[in-house]
Amino acid sequence: MASEQSSPSPSPPPPAPTTVIDLGDDLLREIFLRLPSLPSLVRAALSCRTFLSAVRSSPVFRRSFRAAHPPPLLGFFFDPDGPAIPAFAPVRRRSDPDLAAAVRGADFFFTRLPDDDDASPGWFVCDCRGGYVLLCNGRTGQFAAYNPLTGALDLVPPTPDEFFDDGHGLTSHLDCFILASEEGDGPFRLVTICHDESRARAAVFSSDSREWRIFPWSEAVEPLPEDEHWLKVGTMVNGFIYWIQANEAGLLVLNTATLHFSRMDLPPFLEGKIHLVWPGEAKDGRLCIVCPVDFGIHVWFWRADEDGFERWMLEKKFQLELKSIVEATGGSLEDVELHIVDTIDGFVYFSTGETFHNVHVPSWFLSLCMETAKLDMLFQKRCDSHVRPCIMPWPPSLVNNKLCPLLEGEGA
């Protein structure tokens, strides 16, 4: 009898392929750290719930990503001349399509602002940080906190009339700043400041209470200022607001946590140059003073010296090669006068001239990285006004625990 042949045993099924969805959160975050920019991270995180959860669940990762990737510049706001909304000049970077997509998708025309056709001078920008553009209506005094990336709008009533009570001489509104969380979620505060002939005063609005709170006047400066506009427009760095005093080499300082005013000296070298001086923020959040000197930029830092005394110390000098820029504009070096626009997260934003004086001489806007000394030409403009850089914030959608509507029903 023929022997029965045994049938071959079936082959084991091939292992299921491993996909990126199968990677653990730690490995996903290591991959995300190697993305080129914040817009690229946003695009990746919103592609599926697994990726989004990996980003949302780790504040440590978000801090590491911010440290490795400077928040990108989206563009500049310029105040209008007349009843209009602020103009926006985007920064065009062909090498970063995700950044370009973020700019295209944002509402930089402020389409949700209340119509006020008869308003003059209309809406102007007071501050731009934490994802918000803070605007004020020049006719009504109303404020608006607007997020161009999300379209969120919060209208804030004007400061109460009592804010200007008990002023000595002419009392003028000076500045208004917005304080929000670094990750763009939660309530915010507005801090607005006025000054009389020798003192300053702060008022605070809370988005929680929806009320303004007025604080006492500061002590008078001595000697009394000769100029009624004795404070220049302020700069906020790490929770402190700094104003250059026009008649002396000093700074008026407001702690936004305690609402207490104090004063600081300026570096002696800057006496007589205060119209060029700009307080700013280094990459590590440290206070610095930036000033153009000839065709260069000098940077002082407030830090302890060898004896442990805190003072201003000159730490960086950047000599700029502007010949190619001047040639591109068809001008000459005699037309170049550097003006600091702002210093944010270690980047100095400046222009080659103020076209208030001569609109026929084009002005270049540039950025300088204090860490790498890299100089970027941003764009050219023939007319300017008050300028506000717009930095892309950390999107709240990558922080809170609410499911992104774009991912509803997705199986990943």
Side-chain angles (χ1 to χ4, degrees):
M1 185 172 69
S3 61
E4 294 184 0
Q5 295 182 353
S6 59
S7 59
S9 58
S11 301
T18 301
T19 68
V20 70
I21 303 299
D22 299 312
L23 301 178
D25 284 355
D26 289 341
L27 188 53
L28 281 175
R29 288 190 282 260
E30 285 296 320
I31 296 172
F32 291 159
L33 279 176
R34 288 159 174 77
L35 291 173
S37 65
L38 177 57
S40 298
L41 176 66
V42 175
R43 184 177 182 180
L46 295 182
S47 65
C48 73
R49 281 182 283 184
T50 299
F51 293 176
L52 184 59
S53 175
V55 174
R56 284 179 170 176
S57 61
S58 178
V60 173
F61 163 77
R62 298 196 293 271
R63 288 194 295 269
S64 299
F65 193 93
R66 278 193 289 266
H69 302 80
L73 173 71
L74 299 178
F76 291 84
F77 286 105
F78 296 84
D79 280 342
D81 182 15
I85 62 170
F88 181 73
V91 174
R92 302 182 183 276
R93 298 190 187 276
R94 297 180 184 274
S95 60
D96 193 341
D98 293 326
L99 178 60
V103 173
R104 287 195 303 270
D107 180 18
F108 292 116
F109 294 105
F110 306 121
T111 57
R112 296 189 61 204
L113 280 179
D115 291 333
D116 198 359
D117 295 335
D118 297 329
S120 181
W123 293 94
F124 60 90
V125 176
C126 299
D127 193 20
C128 186
R129 72 184 67 241
Y132 290 99
V133 180
L134 178 62
L135 303 106
C136 182
N137 188 291
R139 184 176 67 88
T140 65
Q142 183 180 39
F143 294 96
Y146 202 103
N147 187 326
L149 295 178
T150 66
L153 171 65
D154 195 317
L155 296 175
V156 177
T159 50
D161 293 338
E162 308 88 79
F163 185 41
F164 303 99
D165 286 353
D166 304 320
H168 297 166
L170 179 67
T171 303
S172 302
H173 182 267
L174 180 60
D175 276 324
C176 191
F177 296 87
I178 189 164
L179 291 91
S181 70
E182 190 176 37
E183 295 187 330
D185 57 339
F188 64 84
R189 292 187 299 151
L190 303 188
V191 178
T192 189
I193 297 91
C194 69
H195 71 84
D196 62 15
E197 62 183 16
S198 63
R199 304 173 303 166
R201 189 179 206 178
V204 176
F205 175 85
S206 169
S207 63
D208 277 339
S209 67
R210 310 300 301 177
E211 293 180 351
W212 284 97
R213 181 183 177 191
I214 301 173
F215 288 81
W217 288 96
S218 68
E219 295 182 1
V221 299
E222 295 182 1
L224 292 179
E226 300 174 0
D227 187 350
E228 63 183 23
H229 303 293
W230 56 280
L231 291 176
K232 291 178 61 177
V233 174
T235 304
M236 187 159 69
V237 179
N238 200 21
F240 291 80
I241 305 174
Y242 301 87
W243 295 272
I244 302 289
Q245 294 182 205
N247 293 330
E248 61 180 76
L251 289 163
L252 181 66
V253 185
L254 176 66
N255 183 330
T256 61
T258 65
L259 279 302
H260 174 72
F261 286 96
S262 59
R263 288 177 176 81
M264 295 176 67
D265 292 329
L266 282 175
F269 174 82
L270 297 178
E271 293 184 14
K273 300 183 178 67
I274 58 174
H275 62 292
L276 299 173
V277 173
W278 197 275
E281 176 195 45
K283 183 177 180 180
D284 53 6
R286 287 192 299 160
L287 173 67
C288 63
I289 290 285
V290 180
C291 181
V293 179
D294 297 326
F295 295 119
I297 290 178
H298 292 189
V299 184
W300 286 260
F301 284 88
W302 181 258
R303 65 176 181 84
D305 59 17
E306 295 177 352
D307 298 323
F309 294 101
E310 288 194 325
R311 62 185 183 91
W312 290 110
M313 302 185 70
L314 179 62
E315 288 193 12
K316 294 180 181 290
K317 295 182 180 181
F318 301 96
Q319 196 62 32
L320 307 179
E321 178 51 60
L322 299 176
K323 183 178 179 180
S324 60
I325 297 175
V326 172
E327 290 176 348
T329 64
S332 65
L333 286 175
E334 287 76 20
D335 298 325
V336 175
E337 184 179 355
L338 303 183
H339 290 268
I340 307 299
V341 171
D342 213 338
T343 302
I344 303 173
D345 198 37
F347 283 81
V348 183
Y349 301 100
F350 64 100
S351 66
T352 59
E354 278 192 327
T355 53
F356 289 117
H357 303 145
N358 186 354
V359 297
H360 301 293
V361 178
S363 178
W364 271 99
F365 286 78
L366 306 97
S367 70
L368 173 71
C369 177
M370 290 195 290
E371 187 175 19
T372 65
K374 182 182 178 183
L375 183 69
D376 275 343
M377 297 171 58
L378 301 176
F379 58 86
Q380 187 182 16
K381 206 169 188 297
R382 286 188 176 273
C383 59
D384 63 19
S385 53
H386 297 107
V387 186
R388 301 282 181 177
C390 179
I391 309 296
M392 182 175 178
W394 192 271
S397 61
L398 301 194
V399 180
N400 60 46
N401 294 319
K402 295 180 181 178
L403 186 63
C404 178
L406 294 177
L407 303 178
E408 285 282 6
E410 195 169 308

